[in-house]
Amino acid sequence: MSLDRRGTLTRVPPLNLGNQQPRTPLNADQAWRITASRAAGTVLFFDFDGTLAPVDDDPTAVRPAPKALAAIEALAPVVQRVAIVSARPVEFLRDQLGGLAGVDLYGLYGLEHSHSGGETVTEPAALPWVPTMAELADLARAELPPGTLVEYKRLSVALHWRTAPQLGPTVQQWGQAQADRLGLRSQAGRMVLELKPPVDRDKGMVIGEAIKGATGAWYFGDDVSDIKAFAALRARAAADPDFLGVCVAVANPETGHEVANAADLTIESPAALGDFLTRALTHLP
């Protein structure tokens, strides 16, 4: 579905998710009204890059949309939990959110987490891979052509070609060869290939665990890794007819069509997400 000018949910072509159906037939206002009736049991999940913050040529320069942050700050005391689920490290997210209270942070696809401002906890199985990642980042800087941006995140390495789109095939081929050589996993994204440890953590697993006991959840994301989070909400809704799961895509020119096809509604930008969340506050207690 997609968000039309009136803020209602309109149909998009169906995506085959096996038994992880159905999608919600509700429009946005209806979904928020139902959410209001169970706010104490609802979790709101947000991706960061491309969702809360616009994508930038320099990944270190991105900043969240102010109106989206203000709305999240207002929503946090109203619902059961608010969580940011991102490919970024927890420390980066904490800095970007400026001390926003009452928000859980899941970094590096769930390899790190911090709850409500507490200490950062790292998945133990990923720690032995820290030296490998540091060496891989050095190798990437030495071997990949100029125009490739190598982002080292301690537990992963992201290879960006946004400023040099013609390098995409070269960077992807090199990255996949390194993943095969080192036994790493690769995650494709918006003009980026991320290499990470072979540890079973992804956004779908994070969401599947976090919604246990919840009566509803919304997930807002923009990239292909977020489709696994959508699928986790679909699976829970299929198993529990009383559970309200709403999947929201934030439009983008690279992976937007694929993500929108998996979502219940599409919002046009991080700035528009701020407006959408601000309107949602009028429905909540």
Side-chain angles (χ1 to χ4, degrees), residues 126-137 152 154:
L127 287 173
W129 292 89
V130 171
T132 300
M133 293 301 165
E135 293 170 6
L136 176 62
Y152 170 61
R154 189 175 75 103

Side-chain angles (χ1 to χ4, degrees), residues 17 20 109 185-187 196 201-208 219 223-235 247 262:
L17 292 172
Q20 295 169 352
Y109 303 96
R185 292 182 181 172
S186 60
Q187 174 67 59
K196 53 186 182 176
R201 296 299 291 168
D202 60 37
K203 292 184 177 184
M205 295 178 69
V206 168
I207 272 59
Y219 186 95
D223 211 344
V224 290
S225 63
D226 298 307
I227 294 175
K228 290 183 178 180
F230 292 171
L233 294 190
R234 304 287 188 218
C247 304

